[in-house]
Amino acid sequence: MTPMNTDVAHASEAVAVEAERRWAIIVMLIIAMLLAMMVFTGLHWAAMPPSRVETIDPRKLHIAGEFVEDNLGTTLGADGKVTVRLIAQQYSFEPQCLVVPAGMPVTFRATSTDAVHGFVVDKTNANVMLIPGFIATFTTRFDKTGERLMPCHEYCGTGHAAMWGRVQVMPAEEFLAKAKGAERMHCVPR
Ligand code: CUA
């Protein structure tokens, strides 16, 4: 090897070493960033409990409080807010058929009397778990009128597959007209 070739070899080796070092640093930075994200999210969520935890005694639901039978269903509050209250039990929802207005915010408040249940309203983002002892709540909006199926989506026992409810989404004007007379609205189960 001539002295010149040796120089070229040394030079290219130096370039390779430099590139390797650069990539090693980049990879270490990526790993460090991922670890920092894991530590941050872990500590953050451990230090920050869910923003709201509302508890209720599942043994006394039917005796007093907002989940007594004649308080279940849909209400239009004095402030114009629509609230749906329901309970889940093995193996049905109460009420079995819910009425909601289209195009208005609807707040659900629900809980379970026995096992863990849940429901999803088809073709919408309404999706919640119902755990005995806790009140689940969320607010959503139904854009299309018509009937939606509402199956239980947490395995809750032998009757799970038969646990269904229905949601009737009606035009807002029709809902508001009906809501004036009826305190707690629901539709007749079929
Ligand atoms: Cu209730 Cu599955």
Side-chain angles (χ1 to χ4, degrees):
M1 214 181 255
T2 64
M4 204 183 92
N5 281 349
T6 314
D7 286 350
V8 170
H10 280 161
S12 57
E13 191 190 338
V15 168
V17 166
E18 182 55 32
E20 244 171 59
R21 203 174 64 84
R22 201 163 52 234
W23 279 108
I25 289 170
I26 291 171
V27 168
M28 279 192 296
L29 284 176
I30 291 172
I31 292 171
M33 193 182 74
L34 292 174
L35 284 173
M37 277 165 61
M38 279 166 60
V39 170
F40 172 77
T41 52
L43 291 178
H44 179 75
W45 290 112
M48 304 272 287
S51 56
R52 52 168 300 290
V53 174
E54 224 179 314
T55 56
I56 192 163
D57 185 345
R59 292 164 302 177
K60 294 179 182 154
L61 289 178
H62 59 297
I63 300 171
E66 72 171 288
F67 292 101
V68 293
E69 194 174 357
D70 58 7
N71 197 42
L72 299 176
T74 309
T75 54
L76 176 66
D79 52 2
K81 285 188 179 149
V82 180
T83 306
V84 180
R85 288 189 181 82
L86 70 152
I87 54 172
Q89 59 203 356
Q90 286 166 325
Y91 296 100
S92 64
F93 293 101
E94 188 61 44
Q96 280 283 77
C97 183
L98 307 174
V99 183
V100 296
M104 286 174 69
V106 177
T107 299
F108 281 77
R109 290 179 60 78
T111 189
S112 164
T113 63
D114 41 41
V116 174
H117 301 274
F119 65 82
V120 58
V121 182
D122 79 322
K123 300 194 187 86
T124 73
N125 67 352
N127 184 337
V128 74
M129 252 178 106
L130 305 173
I131 303 166
F134 295 88
I135 299 174
T137 182
F138 65 91
T139 301
T140 188
R141 185 189 294 263
F142 298 91
D143 291 324
K144 287 198 186 123
T145 56
E147 191 175 271
R148 304 260 173 281
L149 291 175
M150 189 184 87
C152 175
H153 69 12
E154 293 287 338
Y155 182 76
C156 51
T158 51
H160 163 72
M163 188 169 167
W164 294 80
R166 286 189 160 79
V167 179
Q168 297 227 327
V169 187
M170 56 170 65
E173 318 80 66
E174 192 182 330
F175 174 87
L176 293 171
K178 277 194 179 177
K180 278 179 194 151
E183 272 289 285
R184 303 287 179 267
M185 300 167 70
H186 56 84
C187 33
V188 180
R190 288 184 299 175

